[in-house]
Amino acid sequence: MGSTGKSKKRLSTARELTRVVTDYYLECHRARAEGRPVGWMPPMNGGIEIFYAMDLQPVFPENWSPVCAAFSLAPGHFEISEGMGYSRDLCGYLRNIVGYVHSDMNGPGVPLGGLPEPDMLMSFGGGCVPAMKIFQILESRFPRAKVFRADVPQVACEDIREHHVDYAVSEIHRLIEFLERTTGRKLDQERLHRTVELSDAACRLWDEIMSLRRCRPAPISASEIGIMFVMVTRQGTQTAVDFLTRVRDEVAERAEQGIGVIEDELVRLFWDNIPLWYNMGLFNEFEGLGGVVVAETYSAAWSLRLDASDPVRALALKSLMSYSLVSCLSIERRKEMVLKACRDYGIDGAVFHRNKSCVPITLGQDEIIRALDEELGIPSVTIDADHMDSRNFSHAQFKARTDAFMEMLLARKNG
Amino acid sequence: MHPHAAMEPFLEAVQYRRQRLEGAVSRGEKVIGYFCTYTPVELIHACGFLPVRIWARTGPAEKACAQVPGFICPYMQLSLENALSGEFLFLSGVVQAYTCDVACGCVNIWKATFPDLLVHSIPLPYNVSPEAGAYLRSCLEETVEKLVSAGGTYSDEALAESLDLYGRIRGILSALHEQRAQGTLAMTSADLNVVAQAFFAMDPVHYLMMLERLVADLNSCRSILAPGIPVLVSGSVVEDAGIISLVEALGLRVAADDLCTGLRAFTPASAAGQNPLEQVGNRIMKRFPCPARSRQSQRIPLVLDLVKSSGAQGVIFLFQKFCTPHLADYPAVCGALKDAGIPSILLELDGNAGMEAQALTRLETFAGMVGA
Ligand code: SF4
Ligand code: SF4
């Protein structure tokens, strides 16, 4: 069983994140109180910018799951959903959110007041199966919510052609039409343009922050990756840009002054797959042995650019590419991305989380492990775990494997 | 010897499928594999390839476990095991309609492992609308392009012929399923499963001849099957007809199925459209939906209709272990059945032949409960 452990944060801006998170959830509840329509949607698509451009409130149930994991609420939610007949073999995000919406959602013990009930549901066809099924289940849980049934082609980034883009563009137009009809608000094109510009600015800042991690010693590690909260929930807002600017400045300053995550950075590590949200402290365990996780695959999901000169097309492309980065990218492309990251960040060893809860990201890992070894001589270790369900994680096994791995990496360095 | 002589060629077609396909390839034919029955087989056929459904095996996944985790469905895991063991050396490519995350990930692994194969995934639309229809046609055109680049040739005339051929086959198979629902089919569902599996593994022209002979044989056959309590079997891939026999041996009669190795592969037989490509697309969009490609609100009423029209007294969910699309829909489907007073049981197929003692006991209890 995995214990709940929070990670140690060194950035003052990362600590500021707590306020950013609280503000976001307060805003969600205020929206409800003020009669501003609340829509629940999956993350990583162009819907968020349209919502912000129309002063609608987006809520991300998938992103609520890490909050539940961090506050140890997930086990209770699993009990509820499993009691309803949802198999333990299903993604933990699905089991958690289903359990959550069938519990006392805004009850006294629920952190941040919980989620406000949706007026609208953006039920996607596209992305991974659990993400789609979550919304289909929500449709029956919230029968009064107006449902937009979206479609996004499930195509690998490198195979995207004009007809995929055209279809995604037509879906964005349909979404706008649905929102205008349902809420009685009109989308202001100038506002949309500005929102997409802000979204692009956030992505650019994200890239800058990520590339500062190339410095030795690394100024931030995966422990600080919670900053991606703003990429999930705040894309297209000035809040995200302001926060990320402050993070970028602080990280740049640390890099310039040679301030690392730990005093003596001996080994630089790469992390593949989603972190264990109920035990982010694991990243610090590497640090105790001189290892720093300086890069990871999932942060690449925000490494996109949006061309604001054609906002609708930019959002269609974002929807097409973001999800395929995690769910249907070819192994060739994934290999390329991981190998490039390992070269760029000077990686000594890679940690692969074989994630029982996320089949799309886990499938193909073995090929990448082989390529890392054969093409770059970088060794890897595989950890069997689950990003949501601590029952699928053994801390003792983790420790045994990573200690031996770190020992081997250190011996290689010294030899 | 099988009681229906006309069943023999189907059994042989399944038993010797690899050898026969290897023989066909040695005579210059080209074979394209697919996993999901949303794949437009008539399009592949029209381009001059023989489409065959990739099959799994029973037993452990020894080679595949170095490439895929243990928590994916045995169908995809053991298909890869087959491929790594040299079972599919006759394939020129894999053309696959996008099904689920596991199918997508495994297709990617096939692509990386067998770089000489044409590997193409068709990102089907999830919605049914005129825009989705136009998009799907573009996807089909792209598929034609890929097939032509792999040595195929395409014409609307050839597609019209292939549509006609597959339409006739699917029409007969749908009629057999219909007769089964009415209780007038003089063959077991286990046999019907074998008939379907032969369809997935052989030349359609030859298959149609066999099928017509089978129908003639069934029409002249006076034997009446032992009546059993009608049930519906719902799930994805059921390659082992033995499981269906087991169900039938308990006094149950599979009156209908909601399987991709059954009804979902054949319904509807064809669809109208202004040109052959549009007909292919329209059929895909009208297909009896599977949980991987549809929303619960769309699918559940259809499953309930199927239960009603077949007179099923209970539902046996026969899932591939770890199959997310089916497992995620299960509580909602199960709940809707419960509200309609229909009992159900869930059994998971783990890739081993037969059924574990515990599962068998549960099935026996279920049979008793529905009155068998
Ligand atoms: S991408 Fe992975 S973690 Fe996210 S919902 Fe899909 S299966 Fe779950
Ligand atoms: S739908 Fe289910 S059985 Fe079919 S490939 Fe996907 S996981 Fe496997």
Side-chain angles (χ1 to χ4, degrees), chain A residues 62 91 93 128 130-131 274 357-358 360 387:
Chain A
E62 203 172 303
C91 166
Y93 279 164
C128 69
I274 308 174
S357 252
C358 185
H387 68 269

PDB file of all heavy atoms in Angstrom, chain A residues 62 91 93 128 130-131 274 357-358 360 387, ligand 1:
ATOM      1  N   GLU A  62     -11.785  15.601 -14.433  1.00  0.00           N
ATOM      2  CA  GLU A  62     -10.589  14.753 -14.442  1.00  0.00           C
ATOM      3  C   GLU A  62      -9.516  15.366 -13.537  1.00  0.00           C
ATOM      4  O   GLU A  62      -8.782  14.661 -12.862  1.00  0.00           O
ATOM      5  CB  GLU A  62     -10.084  14.611 -15.877  1.00  0.00           C
ATOM      6  CG  GLU A  62      -9.238  13.356 -16.093  1.00  0.00           C
ATOM      7  CD  GLU A  62      -8.920  13.135 -17.558  1.00  0.00           C
ATOM      8  OE1 GLU A  62      -9.865  13.039 -18.360  1.00  0.00           O
ATOM      9  OE2 GLU A  62      -7.729  13.058 -17.896  1.00  0.00           O
ATOM     10  N   CYS A  91      -9.790   2.773 -15.300  1.00  0.00           N
ATOM     11  CA  CYS A  91      -8.927   3.906 -14.933  1.00  0.00           C
ATOM     12  C   CYS A  91      -9.420   4.559 -13.633  1.00  0.00           C
ATOM     13  O   CYS A  91     -10.616   4.789 -13.456  1.00  0.00           O
ATOM     14  CB  CYS A  91      -8.916   4.930 -16.070  1.00  0.00           C
ATOM     15  SG  CYS A  91      -8.229   6.529 -15.594  1.00  0.00           S
ATOM     16  N   TYR A  93      -9.249   7.554 -12.616  1.00  0.00           N
ATOM     17  CA  TYR A  93      -9.956   8.824 -12.783  1.00  0.00           C
ATOM     18  C   TYR A  93     -11.451   8.560 -12.897  1.00  0.00           C
ATOM     19  O   TYR A  93     -12.271   9.259 -12.318  1.00  0.00           O
ATOM     20  CB  TYR A  93      -9.477   9.556 -14.046  1.00  0.00           C
ATOM     21  CG  TYR A  93      -8.180  10.326 -13.906  1.00  0.00           C
ATOM     22  CD1 TYR A  93      -7.479  10.738 -15.042  1.00  0.00           C
ATOM     23  CD2 TYR A  93      -7.663  10.666 -12.662  1.00  0.00           C
ATOM     24  CE1 TYR A  93      -6.292  11.453 -14.936  1.00  0.00           C
ATOM     25  CE2 TYR A  93      -6.481  11.371 -12.551  1.00  0.00           C
ATOM     26  CZ  TYR A  93      -5.793  11.769 -13.684  1.00  0.00           C
ATOM     27  OH  TYR A  93      -4.634  12.483 -13.581  1.00  0.00           O
ATOM     28  N   CYS A 128      -9.277   9.247 -24.882  1.00  0.00           N
ATOM     29  CA  CYS A 128      -9.257   7.836 -24.487  1.00  0.00           C
ATOM     30  C   CYS A 128     -10.661   7.389 -24.064  1.00  0.00           C
ATOM     31  O   CYS A 128     -11.536   8.212 -23.797  1.00  0.00           O
ATOM     32  CB  CYS A 128      -8.273   7.637 -23.348  1.00  0.00           C
ATOM     33  SG  CYS A 128      -8.856   8.409 -21.847  1.00  0.00           S
ATOM     34  N   PRO A 130     -11.792   5.891 -21.199  1.00  0.00           N
ATOM     35  CA  PRO A 130     -12.292   6.319 -19.883  1.00  0.00           C
ATOM     36  C   PRO A 130     -12.760   7.779 -19.873  1.00  0.00           C
ATOM     37  O   PRO A 130     -13.788   8.100 -19.289  1.00  0.00           O
ATOM     38  CB  PRO A 130     -11.086   6.121 -18.959  1.00  0.00           C
ATOM     39  CG  PRO A 130     -10.273   5.074 -19.627  1.00  0.00           C
ATOM     40  CD  PRO A 130     -10.450   5.295 -21.103  1.00  0.00           C
ATOM     41  N   ALA A 131     -12.005   8.657 -20.553  1.00  0.00           N
ATOM     42  CA  ALA A 131     -12.389  10.071 -20.547  1.00  0.00           C
ATOM     43  C   ALA A 131     -13.765  10.251 -21.185  1.00  0.00           C
ATOM     44  O   ALA A 131     -14.565  11.078 -20.733  1.00  0.00           O
ATOM     45  CB  ALA A 131     -11.341  10.902 -21.280  1.00  0.00           C
ATOM     46  N   ILE A 274       1.970   9.264 -15.832  1.00  0.00           N
ATOM     47  CA  ILE A 274       1.403  10.197 -14.854  1.00  0.00           C
ATOM     48  C   ILE A 274       2.013   9.936 -13.467  1.00  0.00           C
ATOM     49  O   ILE A 274       2.302   8.794 -13.127  1.00  0.00           O
ATOM     50  CB  ILE A 274      -0.135  10.011 -14.814  1.00  0.00           C
ATOM     51  CG1 ILE A 274      -0.695  10.108 -16.248  1.00  0.00           C
ATOM     52  CG2 ILE A 274      -0.815  11.018 -13.904  1.00  0.00           C
ATOM     53  CD1 ILE A 274      -2.176   9.796 -16.364  1.00  0.00           C
ATOM     54  N   SER A 357      -3.680   2.196 -14.193  1.00  0.00           N
ATOM     55  CA  SER A 357      -4.854   3.023 -14.478  1.00  0.00           C
ATOM     56  C   SER A 357      -4.806   3.698 -15.837  1.00  0.00           C
ATOM     57  O   SER A 357      -5.784   4.306 -16.238  1.00  0.00           O
ATOM     58  CB  SER A 357      -5.006   4.098 -13.398  1.00  0.00           C
ATOM     59  OG  SER A 357      -6.090   3.807 -12.569  1.00  0.00           O
ATOM     60  N   CYS A 358      -3.681   3.676 -16.501  1.00  0.00           N
ATOM     61  CA  CYS A 358      -3.648   4.381 -17.790  1.00  0.00           C
ATOM     62  C   CYS A 358      -2.996   3.523 -18.861  1.00  0.00           C
ATOM     63  O   CYS A 358      -1.783   3.580 -19.081  1.00  0.00           O
ATOM     64  CB  CYS A 358      -2.931   5.718 -17.670  1.00  0.00           C
ATOM     65  SG  CYS A 358      -3.023   6.636 -19.234  1.00  0.00           S
ATOM     66  N   PRO A 360      -3.423   3.770 -22.211  1.00  0.00           N
ATOM     67  CA  PRO A 360      -2.886   4.448 -23.403  1.00  0.00           C
ATOM     68  C   PRO A 360      -1.432   4.879 -23.252  1.00  0.00           C
ATOM     69  O   PRO A 360      -0.648   4.747 -24.180  1.00  0.00           O
ATOM     70  CB  PRO A 360      -3.789   5.672 -23.571  1.00  0.00           C
ATOM     71  CG  PRO A 360      -4.996   5.425 -22.761  1.00  0.00           C
ATOM     72  CD  PRO A 360      -4.661   4.395 -21.735  1.00  0.00           C
ATOM     73  N   HIS A 387      -1.769   5.745 -10.988  1.00  0.00           N
ATOM     74  CA  HIS A 387      -1.692   7.162 -10.643  1.00  0.00           C
ATOM     75  C   HIS A 387      -2.778   7.597  -9.661  1.00  0.00           C
ATOM     76  O   HIS A 387      -2.704   8.664  -9.078  1.00  0.00           O
ATOM     77  CB  HIS A 387      -1.705   8.048 -11.896  1.00  0.00           C
ATOM     78  CG  HIS A 387      -2.987   8.060 -12.673  1.00  0.00           C
ATOM     79  ND1 HIS A 387      -3.251   7.200 -13.703  1.00  0.00           N
ATOM     80  CD2 HIS A 387      -4.078   8.843 -12.580  1.00  0.00           C
ATOM     81  CE1 HIS A 387      -4.452   7.457 -14.197  1.00  0.00           C
ATOM     82  NE2 HIS A 387      -4.975   8.438 -13.534  1.00  0.00           N
TER      83      HIS A 387
HETATM   84  S1  SF4 C   1      -5.446   9.209 -20.556  1.00  0.00           S
HETATM   85 FE1  SF4 C   1      -5.081   7.582 -19.091  1.00  0.00          FE
HETATM   86  S2  SF4 C   1      -5.387   8.530 -17.093  1.00  0.00           S
HETATM   87 FE2  SF4 C   1      -6.329   9.894 -18.579  1.00  0.00          FE
HETATM   88  S3  SF4 C   1      -8.498   9.215 -18.506  1.00  0.00           S
HETATM   89 FE3  SF4 C   1      -7.415   8.144 -20.196  1.00  0.00          FE
HETATM   90  S4  SF4 C   1      -6.840   6.170 -19.304  1.00  0.00           S
HETATM   91 FE4  SF4 C   1      -7.333   7.567 -17.613  1.00  0.00          FE
END
